[in-house]
Amino acid sequence: MNLINLEKILSGKPSFYLKEVRRAVFKKLIKDWNEATILPQELRAELNEKCPLDIEADILASDDNAAKAVLELKDGCKIETVLMRHEAGRNTVCVSSQVGCPLACKFCATGQNGFKRNLEPLEIVEQVLLFARILKQKNERVSNIVFMGMGEPFLNYDNVIQAILILNDKNGFNIGARHISVSTIGIAEGIEKLGEFPFQINLAISLHAPNNELRGKIISANKKYPIEKIIEAANRYLEKTDRQIMVEYLMIKDFNDSESCAQELIKILQKLKRGLFIVNLIAYNPTGIFKPSSSEQIKKFRQVLEKNGIKATQRWKFGRDIKGACGQLAGK
Ligand code: SAH
């Protein structure tokens, strides 16, 4: 797919064409411009030549619950994207925001091969379009988006926001802001900027450790964005939005899963204003180096949090069989 020249081709044409084109591509989900019968035939032919709508992708399906796609972009770069099917009607697409990732967190497969480039807004949207077309055949739609694929969304802030605007557009996918979540390693500037953004997008922060010493061992970005700085930015976000933050905490065996880690975590989280957060415990998906905590250990950890009045949930392990779970996207 290549819609980069779209606006250029449509400039000088009646202004409603652009709106019709958006509706055709993102709402009707056409795969060929000839399906956009509202446009004159010549224009359709030109668009088919210069703005092809076919998506280059290989789809790996595991079962009814998850599917991973590898998309090839026009410069040959490959990215991965995952569809998760929850209960009836809830379909979440986990999108990538970058090709590779500059953060190279020790527990995540994505950054191990380095970073290539940021994704353009339409390259982010294309990932959703791919699954939207597939779901349409089952009379279903994409209902939720999480920016939890490859890359750090807040290091590609503007393009991520542009993509969100397209996904949210009533004349297009019409995915409600409250159904869109952005996950960050804790880029303070991004957290604060999202606090100013006039849409109610959900924010998730990958904390993963209860102190800077442990966090620094697995997340090199902790040097620039240590825990105090993240809490400060999160508090400013909370003041502006009044929206609950999701605090993500990876459970790694014998590293950050002890009861004393839980106690330390509680102390940190008590600094978050208004108690507007929920902890999401994520069993580490194997990527080679560490081992996941046992379910009993996760349960114990969760109980310590809950006894102290902290809300906690556990993330469902979608897509492990297809190496499509969190942290397993390598773009190979
Ligand atoms: N850069 C963003 C989004 C990336 S991935 C961020 O850091 O939040 C989305 C989530 O998957 C993050 O919480 C990330 O820490 C988590 N993750 C990464 N590797 C993982 C692994 N091996 N197992 C489980 N979760 C992992």
Side-chain angles (χ1 to χ4, degrees):
M1 190 172 101
N2 185 355
L3 298 181
I4 300 254
N5 293 318
L6 189 62
E7 293 198 14
K8 211 157 71 191
I9 295 172
L10 294 181
S11 69
K13 304 259 181 348
S15 59
F16 71 92
Y17 278 9
L18 192 59
K19 198 167 162 201
E20 288 304 331
V21 157
R22 286 213 188 100
R23 204 198 296 271
V25 177
F26 302 132
K27 194 172 188 118
K28 291 194 185 147
L29 306 174
I30 61 165
K31 292 180 188 161
D32 183 304
W33 286 107
N34 284 319
E35 294 171 56
T37 44
I38 193 148
L39 303 176
Q41 204 168 4
E42 272 159 49
L43 180 60
R44 284 185 253 152
E46 187 181 1
L47 287 171
N48 265 335
E49 190 195 323
K50 295 183 183 154
C51 300
L53 289 173
D54 51 310
I55 298 176
E56 299 270 341
D58 284 329
I59 294 183
L60 297 166
S62 67
D63 46 35
D64 283 347
N65 289 329
K68 175 165 96 164
V70 182
L71 266 84
E72 184 164 345
L73 307 173
K74 44 196 180 304
D75 61 355
C77 281
K78 289 189 175 151
I79 50 164
E80 297 185 338
T81 180
V82 177
L83 170 70
M84 293 168 283
R85 307 190 70 206
H86 308 261
E87 73 275 15
R90 194 153 79 87
N91 297 300
T92 301
V93 178
C94 174
V95 293
S96 295
S97 55
Q98 299 183 310
V99 184
C101 184
L103 298 175
C105 300
K106 292 266 184 332
F107 47 79
C108 179
T110 301
Q112 308 311 323
N113 296 319
F115 167 68
K116 286 241 174 62
R117 66 175 175 85
N118 280 333
L119 290 179
E120 296 293 326
L122 284 169
E123 289 173 331
I124 297 172
V125 170
E126 187 174 339
Q127 301 168 53
V128 182
L129 192 54
L130 170 73
F131 286 121
R133 288 178 183 176
I134 293 170
L135 287 169
K136 191 183 172 191
Q137 294 161 3
K138 303 181 185 183
N139 270 327
E140 289 192 44
R141 65 184 283 268
V142 175
S143 59
N144 297 64
I145 305 287
V146 291
F147 281 82
M148 294 190 185
M150 302 167 71
E152 168 50 49
F154 284 167
L155 293 178
N156 187 18
Y157 188 91
D158 292 343
N159 290 353
V160 163
I161 292 292
Q162 286 305 316
I164 288 175
L165 292 175
I166 297 173
L167 295 169
N168 180 247
D169 183 2
K170 293 234 166 2
N171 291 311
F173 291 98
N174 194 18
I175 299 171
R178 286 160 183 258
H179 294 169
I180 301 177
S181 303
V182 177
S183 177
T184 178
I185 199 66
I187 309 294
E189 299 84 352
I191 295 174
E192 292 199 29
K193 260 202 253 175
L194 194 71
E196 310 276 350
F197 186 59
F199 290 73
Q200 301 196 311
I201 308 292
N202 303 306
L203 172 66
I205 299 179
S206 297
L207 198 66
H208 299 338
N211 59 53
N212 285 321
E213 195 197 332
L214 276 188
R215 196 167 189 267
K217 283 188 184 158
I218 50 173
I219 298 172
S220 56
N222 192 64
K223 258 201 208 101
K224 189 160 178 205
Y225 301 105
I227 294 175
E228 312 75 64
K229 210 164 170 178
I230 297 174
I231 298 285
E232 237 173 72
N235 276 336
R236 279 202 273 272
Y237 171 90
L238 287 172
E239 267 165 28
K240 292 208 174 103
T241 63
D242 237 351
R243 283 184 69 68
Q244 173 169 281
I245 291 175
M246 181 186 281
V247 175
E248 296 165 288
Y249 194 96
L250 207 53
M251 296 293 293
I252 304 176
K253 186 176 159 57
D254 300 331
F255 177 76
N256 63 355
D257 63 350
S258 66
E259 188 171 334
S260 71
C261 283
Q263 296 290 0
E264 261 187 285
L265 180 63
I266 292 164
K267 290 220 177 72
I268 290 180
L269 295 177
Q270 281 165 345
K271 295 184 184 147
L272 279 173
K273 292 197 176 147
R274 302 182 200 174
L276 268 178
F277 65 88
I278 182 165
V279 176
N280 190 208
L281 299 172
I282 313 171
Y284 164 70
N285 292 309
T287 54
I289 313 171
F290 303 103
K291 292 213 161 58
S293 307
S294 65
S295 354
E296 300 85 77
Q297 195 59 32
I298 299 180
K299 202 167 146 199
K300 266 196 219 155
F301 196 94
R302 183 173 173 174
Q303 279 167 351
V304 177
L305 298 181
E306 286 177 340
K307 264 192 215 136
N308 286 273
I310 286 181
K311 278 183 281 176
T313 57
Q314 200 179 332
R315 181 172 297 166
W316 182 242
K317 290 173 265 181
F318 274 99
R320 262 199 192 177
D321 302 345
I322 48 168
K323 290 240 181 301
C326 292
Q328 294 188 315
L329 304 183
K332 286 188 189 151

